[in-house]
Amino acid sequence: MSLVSNRIRRQERYMTGFEPKRLPTKEQPRGPTLLMEPPHVGAVCIGVSTGGPAALMHLFGQLDGPINFPIFIVQHMPPMFTGVLAHRLNDIGKLPVVEAEDGQAVRAGHVYLAPGGRHMTTKKQTDGEVVIQLADTPPENSCRPSVDVLFRSVARAYGAASLSMVLTGMGQDGLKGVRDIRAAGGLAYAQDEESSVVWGMPGAVVREGLADKVLPLSQMAREIMRHATAVGQPD
């Protein structure tokens, strides 16, 4: 095997964390970009549904340090329950987690959970500050909050600095939003089938060939921290 081939192989292992499984050509996700450092990330957005509370508890329990970007979460859940989930996530990890409020200014290192029954979006102001907006507009994909609605707004506010993560869940909410993230130059990670309770939402992203990485839940926190500590990230 040539030196160039060996370098490509090593970079594939770096980007995925394991030796990549090759899917049939029509289902093959985009290959990893050969970068020595992770790309700059300005915001992480997470979409999750069935099996989500346990997945989020696991994820945030593993985040072991400060991060220099915000995290936005849509968990399909009725009103009132999202407030309880936000408190649990806040208590289990090292990051401040809140149920988002309309007009709230976004701060790096903070986590914002969409309230049940309301869409959550991000909007960049003329001064560059990003604020959260909540809306009671019609459901998308029979969901409110909807992952697509959040991801679409993050793509507009953060562009190529967007990192989307689609975790366990039924249906396809998030698929269109991931297309928007990718079209803006951002990244998309999907949870693998084995560690998902239901591989509907992440599976849809993988089958469309939109996932930059397909990872077990146990590796998601490591990926977030890898971007948080990347060289060249802003304070």
Side-chain angles (χ1 to χ4, degrees), residues 77-140:
M77 187 174 274
M80 296 172 46
F81 290 97
T82 45
V84 174
L85 177 60
H87 282 298
R88 292 179 65 189
L89 295 176
N90 184 73
D91 291 341
I92 197 172
K94 295 184 177 181
L95 301 179
V97 182
V98 298
E99 187 178 40
E101 298 179 3
D102 190 43
Q104 188 170 17
V106 172
R107 297 176 59 190
H110 288 62
V111 183
Y112 304 92
L113 177 67
R118 307 198 74 186
H119 290 308
M120 178 173 72
T121 60
T122 59
K123 182 175 179 60
K124 181 174 286 188
Q125 309 283 67
T126 54
D127 61 1
E129 182 179 62
V130 177
V131 298
I132 289 173
Q133 296 182 331
L134 303 179
D136 300 319
T137 48
E140 292 196 21

Side-chain angles (χ1 to χ4, degrees), residues 37 66 68-69 224-231 233:
E37 295 291 343
N68 45 6
F69 43 73
I224 292 174
M225 294 309 304
R226 179 177 294 173
H227 286 286
T229 58
V231 174
Q233 291 277 44

Side-chain angles (χ1 to χ4, degrees), residues 14 18 27 55 66 80 104 114 119-120 124 138 142 155-156 160 166 175 189 192 200-201 221 234:
Y14 165 78
F18 53 87
E27 295 184 3
M80 296 172 46
Q104 188 170 17
H119 290 308
M120 178 173 72
K124 181 174 286 188
S142 301
R156 288 195 297 263
V166 181
L175 176 60
Y189 295 170
D192 70 358
M201 289 164 51

Side-chain angles (χ1 to χ4, degrees), residues 5-235:
S5 296
N6 279 329
R7 287 186 61 193
I8 293 175
R9 201 67 166 176
R10 287 197 299 271
Q11 289 292 341
E12 284 184 329
R13 285 195 292 269
Y14 165 78
M15 290 296 293
T16 61
F18 53 87
E19 193 72 22
K21 294 181 178 179
R22 300 301 180 187
L23 300 177
T25 302
K26 66 178 181 179
E27 295 184 3
Q28 179 66 42
R30 184 181 71 178
T33 304
L34 301 184
L35 296 172
M36 295 306 294
E37 295 291 343
H40 163 63
V41 164
V44 171
C45 50
I46 299 173
V48 61
S49 185
T50 312
L56 291 172
M57 293 287 285
H58 179 86
L59 174 64
F60 281 89
Q62 288 191 325
L63 290 175
D64 56 1
I67 60 173
N68 45 6
F69 43 73
I71 298 177
F72 305 99
I73 306 171
V74 162
Q75 160 71 61
H76 294 158
M77 187 174 274
M80 296 172 46
F81 290 97
T82 45
V84 174
L85 177 60
H87 282 298
R88 292 179 65 189
L89 295 176
N90 184 73
D91 291 341
I92 197 172
K94 295 184 177 181
L95 301 179
V97 182
V98 298
E99 187 178 40
E101 298 179 3
D102 190 43
Q104 188 170 17
V106 172
R107 297 176 59 190
H110 288 62
V111 183
Y112 304 92
L113 177 67
R118 307 198 74 186
H119 290 308
M120 178 173 72
T121 60
T122 59
K123 182 175 179 60
K124 181 174 286 188
Q125 309 283 67
T126 54
D127 61 1
E129 182 179 62
V130 177
V131 298
I132 289 173
Q133 296 182 331
L134 303 179
D136 300 319
T137 48
E140 292 196 21
N141 308 303
S142 301
C143 300
R144 192 174 65 199
S146 166
V147 180
D148 279 338
V149 170
L150 171 65
F151 283 15
R152 187 163 61 238
S153 73
V154 170
R156 288 195 297 263
Y158 293 93
S162 309
L163 168 58
S164 58
M165 291 184 160
V166 181
L167 307 185
T168 177
M170 188 178 299
Q172 294 189 351
D173 191 25
L175 176 60
K176 293 179 181 178
V178 166
R179 289 193 188 118
D180 292 329
I181 295 281
R182 288 289 304 275
L187 296 169
Y189 295 170
Q191 185 174 348
D192 70 358
E193 184 172 12
E194 185 176 355
S195 66
S196 296
V197 175
V198 179
W199 206 54
M201 289 164 51
V205 172
V206 174
R207 285 189 290 271
E208 285 287 318
L210 296 172
D212 291 278
K213 294 186 182 183
V214 182
L215 300 166
L217 179 63
S218 61
Q219 292 184 19
M220 290 291 188
R222 184 188 71 179
E223 290 300 316
I224 292 174
M225 294 309 304
R226 179 177 294 173
H227 286 286
T229 58
V231 174
Q233 291 277 44
D235 293 331

